[in-house]
Amino acid sequence: AQKVTQAQTEISVVEKEDVTLDCVYETRDTTYYLFWYKQPPSGELVFLIRRNSFDEQNEISGRYSWNFQKSTSSFNFTITASQVVDSAVYFCALREPNNAGNMLTFGGGTRLMVKP
Amino acid sequence: EPEVTQTPSHQVTQMGQEVILRCVPISNHLYFYWYRQILGQKVEFLVSFYNNEISEKSEIFDDQFSVERPDGSNFTLKIRSTKLEDSAMYFCASSGSWDSRGNQPQHFGDGTRLSIL
């Protein structure tokens, strides 16, 4: 079973639209960590946010906001007033502390295309 | 801002040849990682390294792979006898010690695109 599921493989919006990228995760741990990374067309992975399972406060950073819902095991990412520069693949990732190596388990990614 | 650097950015190698991918993690980080991403697919964990030894490895990381921290700054991934299916983007990452909020995020390098011919 997938530990991190990003059901939307591709989303296309027009500039200035709001868009939400879904992430659903699966873990037996009571403490865990969730991350979002951005992969622009140039290929690098850019860290966006870390969320601890015991910190349920939602976070906003400029046009980006994250909605962590423990009850539904979801950690969704919303971009408000999208811009062309937001076009990228976005990955959600999970880190479970019971694995010794700090490994991240990534979802399959959502390709976001923002058209002018 | 300090960053993880990887060299080369693109490596082309004949099948069966050995290849070494190099990484310089962020200087005060203690945990080091390699991931790979086959074109168009998700990022997959290969191996993590802490205190001069492998702390975890995935099924992908078989006997043809090895990692080394030969000095205080470099962290290398060696593929002993490359196969066509090793063609992928290889990402190095590093993270610092735990902070009050728990696990530090992993910071990734820009990747090395490995093409096996």
Side-chain angles (χ1 to χ4, degrees):
Chain A
Q2 294 265 8
K3 284 202 169 188
V4 181
T5 302
Q6 295 179 253
Q8 307 146 307
T9 54
E10 201 165 290
I11 300 176
S12 181
V13 299
V14 176
E15 207 169 18
K16 296 184 185 172
E17 283 184 17
D18 299 347
V19 59
T20 296
L21 310 181
D22 297 334
C23 173
V24 174
Y25 60 91
E26 182 185 322
T27 179
R28 293 181 181 175
D29 291 346
T30 53
T31 298
Y32 49 89
Y33 307 90
L34 295 161
F35 303 82
W36 276 94
Y37 285 85
K38 174 182 180 180
Q39 186 175 42
S42 46
E44 70 271 26
L45 284 167
V46 179
F47 166 72
L48 295 178
I49 191 170
R50 167 189 62 179
R51 168 62 64 220
N52 309 328
S53 58
F54 46 85
D55 178 4
E56 294 202 48
Q57 194 171 16
N58 288 321
E59 190 155 335
I60 297 175
S61 175
R63 295 184 298 107
Y64 295 171
S65 62
W66 290 269
N67 183 7
F68 175 45
Q69 294 284 339
K70 215 168 179 177
S71 58
T72 55
S73 297
S74 65
F75 185 43
N76 297 337
F77 172 30
T78 297
I79 302 174
T80 304
S82 58
Q83 300 175 2
V84 173
V85 293
D86 296 327
S87 297
V89 180
Y90 291 85
F91 290 98
C92 180
L94 168 71
R95 149 104 165 87
E96 297 165 288
N98 286 335
N99 68 63
N102 287 343
M103 60 176 278
L104 290 176
T105 301
F106 283 83
T110 297
R111 180 178 300 278
L112 174 65
M113 292 178 291
V114 182
K115 298 177 183 174
Chain B
E1 187 176 322
E3 55 184 32
V4 176
T5 56
Q6 290 186 242
T7 55
S9 56
H10 191 190
Q11 174 81 44
V12 182
T13 301
Q14 291 286 334
M15 187 172 62
Q17 296 294 307
E18 175 183 285
V19 66
I20 297 176
L21 309 182
R22 302 183 191 281
C23 170
V24 179
I26 294 173
S27 62
N28 62 348
H29 281 184
L30 303 174
Y31 301 86
F32 313 111
Y33 315 84
W34 283 101
Y35 291 81
R36 80 167 186 195
Q37 184 183 30
I38 295 172
L39 185 65
Q41 297 187 21
K42 68 179 180 181
V43 180
E44 300 173 290
F45 169 77
L46 291 178
V47 65
S48 58
F49 193 87
Y50 171 70
N51 202 26
N52 282 321
E53 60 183 27
I54 290 174
S55 44
E56 190 162 358
K57 58 184 181 179
S58 70
E59 293 174 353
I60 304 168
F61 194 87
D62 61 22
D63 291 344
Q64 71 161 346
F65 290 91
S66 62
V67 290
E68 196 176 34
R69 188 157 162 80
D71 52 43
S73 58
N74 291 286
F75 179 52
T76 61
L77 173 70
K78 181 192 290 187
I79 309 175
R80 189 161 44 85
S81 177
T82 49
K83 304 179 204 139
L84 292 175
E85 53 264 38
D86 294 328
S87 295
M89 180 78 94
Y90 287 81
F91 290 102
C92 174
S94 69
S95 63
S97 56
W98 291 56
D99 62 15
S100 59
R101 295 179 60 201
N103 184 220
Q104 288 276 25
Q106 294 175 25
H107 293 270
F108 286 77
D110 288 351
T112 293
R113 182 168 300 285
L114 178 63
S115 300
I116 307 300
L117 304 178

